[in-house]
Amino acid sequence: MFLMIRCISQKNIITLILTQNLRMRCRTAACWDNLQRSLHFRTVYSLVLSKDSNNIRKVMSSREITEKSLGLEPLGDKVIAYFAGRMISEGTLRRNSVMQLSGDQDVIALPFKQNGVLVGCKYRTCREKKFWQVKGTQKWLFGLDDIKDADEIIIVEGEIDKLAMEEAGFLNCVSVPCGAPQKVSAKELPPQEKDTGYQYVWNCKEHLDKVSRIILATDGDIPGQALAEELARRLGKERCWRVQWPKKDEFCCFKDANEVLMFLGRDALKEVIDNAELYQLQVPEQAMQCA
């Protein structure tokens, strides 16, 4: 029996393994995924170690989850029809392991996986658009395995937008797990271990660090603009690009990827991504009204 510890240092992330006789082995972050997978998430603790090795603070524990333990089942006709109305095909749903809550076809289950292992799950209702997530799990990007070897990626604000991007031919897309802030924070970026609202960025750091170009396709409303700014602050604005959603009428634009897919089609959505522009250092004034 041994305890795994993830140590976040200033330059990189290191995995420490303490065995029963307290001998210590050190591995780089590249080994982290394989080690977690081998343990099947039974007892994995993320800890922050300061320079004083006696000062150890627990941050989060990850529980083991399975489709069976969560009560998930394959999609029924009702959910498939719901997605068809949003121009999302059954093939795309199955490739992304979308399921439903057992016995309730109104609740969609959106599994989060890392190296094929279930690490989280988000639920949403078809009718009332209510959201909730499995408790006791860490936050990850939805679709993480799709960007493992990608040099260019797309980040969207919702899981259905990630599915919409796939309908337009983009597999190199991930979604944030918990929506957008109302405003951009006026504060300096906190240390990684205290950046709780964006912990999914740091949990996926190994994947994101490899990427040279990041297209931010968040929603076009003020919270979506604020999310794009917060992500760009953490990912580096020099490698971020931003989409411009097409005009819906003379007063407003389409809000997100799924709206464009539904009303304008796949080619229009592909054109939006192809025409992404280098991220501007300033975002609209409304989004920059600080919290």
Side-chain angles (χ1 to χ4, degrees), residues 153-195:
I153 67 171
I154 304 166
I155 300 180
V156 294
E157 190 174 323
E159 294 80 9
I160 292 182
D161 291 323
K162 186 264 192 289
L163 303 178
M165 286 294 181
E166 184 162 327
E167 293 295 337
F170 298 103
L171 298 183
N172 58 328
C173 179
V174 290
S175 169
V176 302
C178 45
Q182 290 301 308
K183 299 176 183 178
V184 176
S185 173
K187 301 176 182 178
E188 294 184 2
L189 289 182
Q192 292 181 19
E193 66 273 14
K194 294 183 179 180
D195 196 15

Side-chain angles (χ1 to χ4, degrees), residues 2-9 11-19 23-39 49 206:
F2 56 89
L3 172 67
M4 184 187 298
I5 299 175
R6 197 178 192 187
C7 171
I8 304 176
S9 68
K11 295 184 178 180
N12 50 32
I13 300 175
I14 300 171
T15 298
L16 305 175
I17 303 173
L18 299 180
T19 61
R23 291 176 59 191
M24 183 178 291
R25 293 188 293 139
C26 178
R27 294 175 181 266
T28 63
C31 301
W32 178 248
D33 292 345
N34 291 334
L35 288 168
Q36 286 193 100
R37 187 173 184 179
S38 67
L39 286 178
L49 304 183
E206 180 185 349

Side-chain angles (χ1 to χ4, degrees), residues 212-230:
S212 61
R213 186 169 184 254
I214 301 171
I215 298 176
L216 301 176
T218 54
D219 290 4
D221 56 12
I222 293 175
Q225 294 165 9
L227 175 61
E229 174 68 10
E230 292 289 5

Side-chain angles (χ1 to χ4, degrees), residues 130-272:
K130 293 181 179 179
F131 300 90
W132 67 97
Q133 298 192 35
V134 173
K135 295 181 179 180
T137 59
Q138 296 192 46
K139 296 293 189 296
W140 304 89
L141 291 167
F142 178 73
L144 184 62
D145 285 352
D146 285 339
I147 65 167
K148 184 180 296 185
D149 300 314
D151 182 60
E152 177 180 310
I153 67 171
I154 304 166
I155 300 180
V156 294
E157 190 174 323
E159 294 80 9
I160 292 182
D161 291 323
K162 186 264 192 289
L163 303 178
M165 286 294 181
E166 184 162 327
E167 293 295 337
F170 298 103
L171 298 183
N172 58 328
C173 179
V174 290
S175 169
V176 302
C178 45
Q182 290 301 308
K183 299 176 183 178
V184 176
S185 173
K187 301 176 182 178
E188 294 184 2
L189 289 182
Q192 292 181 19
E193 66 273 14
K194 294 183 179 180
D195 196 15
T196 54
Y198 298 88
Q199 204 60 51
Y200 57 86
V201 172
W202 309 118
N203 288 341
C204 301
K205 188 175 186 298
E206 180 185 349
H207 291 74
L208 297 173
D209 281 352
K210 300 175 184 177
V211 176
S212 61
R213 186 169 184 254
I214 301 171
I215 298 176
L216 301 176
T218 54
D219 290 4
D221 56 12
I222 293 175
Q225 294 165 9
L227 175 61
E229 174 68 10
E230 292 289 5
L231 290 173
R233 292 173 71 196
R234 290 160 174 82
L235 298 171
K237 294 182 180 181
E238 69 282 354
R239 58 175 179 152
C240 288
W241 296 63
R242 184 81 168 103
V243 302
Q244 297 293 327
W245 298 115
K247 283 189 173 295
K248 182 183 293 186
D249 51 43
E250 60 179 311
F251 300 107
C252 63
C253 296
F254 288 98
K255 179 186 176 185
D256 55 31
N258 191 227
E259 267 200 2
V260 173
L261 176 68
M262 290 172 62
F263 291 99
L264 300 181
R266 300 174 183 175
D267 291 342
L269 182 53
K270 185 177 186 303
E271 185 177 355
V272 168

